[in-house]
Amino acid sequence: MNVALFILALPICIADLSTFVIPNIYTKILFYLTLIHLSLFGLGPLRDVVVSLVALLLLVLIGIGMGDVKLLALILLTHSFNASEYIAYVFLMGMVHILILTAIDRAIPSKIALAPSIFIGLATYLAAR
């Protein structure tokens, strides 16, 4: 599943950086690959699934874009790691992204593309694990 995620990372990041929208075609492809992955390996511990769902619900409530939430949901369903640690990595990468954009533009951005932070956070989390 990681190979598919990192292959689709480049077009997803390009689309998100240019339009602040993750096209549904990419999430549909990842959804079908997630279904295959889940049919082969299962969901994992129920506690991890519940924690992931609660974390995703909180992200929806604070206003994260639905494309980003769908992407995070697909990643959290196919990986059996601590959701709160992974989301912390994503938000850390998001803060670095905001700092870089602030340094370049000399103004704090009102919104950012979160897909690059999601994939860089995933790569960092998997490398550190």
Side-chain angles (χ1 to χ4, degrees):
M1 188 65 191
N2 288 335
V3 173
L5 281 170
F6 289 119
I7 287 173
L8 288 174
L10 185 63
I12 290 172
C13 289
I14 290 171
D16 197 24
L17 286 169
S18 62
T19 62
F20 296 106
V21 174
I22 297 175
N24 282 334
I25 186 67
Y26 298 123
T27 53
K28 285 180 185 178
I29 293 169
L30 286 175
F31 175 72
Y32 295 135
L33 292 171
T34 299
L35 286 179
I36 293 170
H37 179 83
L38 291 177
S39 66
L40 294 174
F41 301 108
L43 267 177
L46 183 62
R47 180 185 58 87
D48 291 342
V49 174
V50 171
V51 169
S52 298
L53 289 175
V54 169
L56 291 171
L57 180 63
L58 289 174
L59 291 176
V60 168
L61 292 176
I62 63 171
I64 301 295
M66 283 308 295
D68 299 322
V69 171
K70 287 187 276 187
L71 187 59
L72 283 169
L74 294 173
I75 290 172
L76 290 172
L77 280 176
T78 56
H79 292 79
S80 60
F81 49 63
N82 190 350
S84 58
E85 285 182 16
Y86 170 61
I87 292 174
Y89 271 93
V90 169
F91 279 111
L92 179 67
M93 294 303 133
M95 286 189 282
V96 170
H97 190 183
I98 290 171
L99 287 175
I100 291 170
L101 289 176
T102 301
I104 292 172
D105 297 336
R106 304 277 188 223
I108 298 174
S110 61
K111 63 181 183 175
I112 64 166
L114 198 58
S117 301
I118 290 171
F119 288 114
I120 294 171
L122 178 64
T124 305
Y125 186 80
L126 291 176
R129 199 171 83 139

